[in-house]
Amino acid sequence: MEDDWSGRWNHVKKFLERSGPFAHPDFEPSPETLLFMRNVCKILVIGAGGLGCELLKDLALMGFRNLDVIDLDTIDLSNLNRQFLFRVKDIGRPKAEVAAEFINTRIPGCNVIPHYAKIQDYDESFYREFHIIVCGLDSIVARRWINGMLIGMLKYENEELDQSSVIPMVDGGTEGFKGNTRVILPGITACIECTLDLYPPQINFPLCTIAHTPRLPEHCIEFVRVLLWPKEKPFGDGVAIDGDDPHHLKWIFEKSNERANQYNITGVSYRLTQGVVKRIIPAVASTNAVIAAACATEVFKIATSCYLPLSNYMNFNDTEGIYTYAFEAEKKENCMACSSIPQTFAFSETDKLKDIIDYLIESPAYQMKSPGITTSVNGKNKTLYIQTVKSIEEKTRENLKKTLKELELVDGQELYVADPTTPNSLTFRLNLGSKME
Ligand SMILES: [Zn+2]
C-alpha cells in the first residue's frame, strides 16, 4: 500500500480489523478484508451526475479501486454547481469519461473504467462481472430496467436460489430536498417493482383549473403550454415545444405573463417558465451528498460484511430541519419482476386491445411506458401491437380498435409484453369473462 498517503487506512482498519458491539454477528476481523476491498471487489456505479460524482469520490476514498461508471450524458454548464468532478473546460465531453479521469488522477491506485453508453447497451455478461451495483439515477425507467436485469440473472437449483447469482443493488434517489437510499438483494428482498407505488406520480394540474380558475403562476404557464400552443401554433403547424429553445420559452413566458395579469397572479418568471416546461425540480447538492454517502456506506457494509446492511429503505428529508427514518419495504407477492406467480389479465372478449395497452400504462402496478404485445398462435409468433418501431406501429395500429374476440384471443391465451421498463418480456395469461372492476 506504498502508493497511499500516511495514515490513510487508520479509520477503515478500525472497522475491519477489530470487532464491536454493532458488528455483523458473523464478522471476523481480518486484514484480508481491506485487501479484498482494494484489489478484488468490483463495483459498478450507474450514473455520473449529481449522485454519481459523489458516489465515485466516496467509494474511491473509502478504498475501492476497481470501479466502473456508466453514463450516457455529456457535461452541460448547468451541471457544474454540484457535479464537482467537472470543470468549464469539460463542457460537451462525456460525464463518465471526465469523472473517471478526475478520480484516477486524484486518488492513487484507483482504476475507474468509464462507459459512455446506455445501460441497455450491455447484456448479462457485462453486469455479471460486478460484486455490487450502485445506482445514482434520475430515471425510474432505467432503475426498473437494471432491476429487471439483475432479477433475470438469478439462478435457481431445485427451486432454491443460488446465492452466488445474487448481485446486491444499492439505489439512491434525490428530488430537491428529499431523498432515499435502498438496499435490494434481488430475489430476496423487495425490488424496485415491488415498491413501484412509492414513487410520486408526475404532478399534473387538472385541466379545468388551468382553463378556467388559475390560481398559481404554474397554472398560467400550463395554460399556454397545453392549450394555447396547439391553438396558436406560434412556430408553425406541428412544431412541438422544445424546452431548450429560447425562442419557444420566450413566447410561452410572454403569453403566460399576459394570462397571469388577467387573473392578478404574480410570480411568472422566465426561470419558472423553463422549470414548468421542462419539468425541472431543482437539484440540491447537499441532498445528493447525504444520499450518496448513505449509499457508499451500504456498499462498504455489503462488501466487507462488517455490519448488517440497511433493511431496506431509508427516507431522508431536509425541507425543514433534518428528518430521516428507515423501514423494511415488503416484497410483493405477485410482483411482476421478482415473484414466480404468473401475471394475469382479466378482460372480456368485447374489450379492445387498446384497453389492455391503457391498463398497462395506467395501472399503478405496471406503469409501463410503451408496451408492445405479441402472442403465439399454433407455435407461430403473432405481433398484436408494437409502438416503438414505426413501420410495425403502422401495420398493427388497426389492431388497437379490434376486440379481443376479433383478434381471436381465447381464454388462457399467453400474451408477451415488452416495454422499455424491463429487459425481459413478461408473460401474461388472459382470463376472459371475469373482468376486474
Ligand atoms: Zn419485486
Side-chain angles (χ1 to χ4, degrees), residues 232-250:
E232 298 207 352
K233 307 179 177 79
F235 294 87
D237 206 3
V239 177
I241 297 174
D242 176 357
D244 292 316
D245 185 329
H247 300 289
H248 289 197
L249 285 175
K250 187 163 172 281

Side-chain angles (χ1 to χ4, degrees), residues 147 151 189-195 331-332 335-339:
N147 179 68
I151 288 165
T189 64
C191 81
I192 299 279
E193 301 287 333
C194 287
T195 53
K331 223 173 154 209
K332 203 166 113 191
C335 169
M336 70 163 166
C338 74
S339 87

Side-chain angles (χ1 to χ4, degrees), residues 53 55 85 114 116 160 163 221 228 305 309 329 335 339 342 347 395:
C53 284
L55 282 168
L85 302 177
Y116 173 38
E160 278 284 305
Q163 297 283 338
I221 300 165
L228 209 59
S305 303
C335 169
S339 87
F347 280 93
K395 258 187 242 161

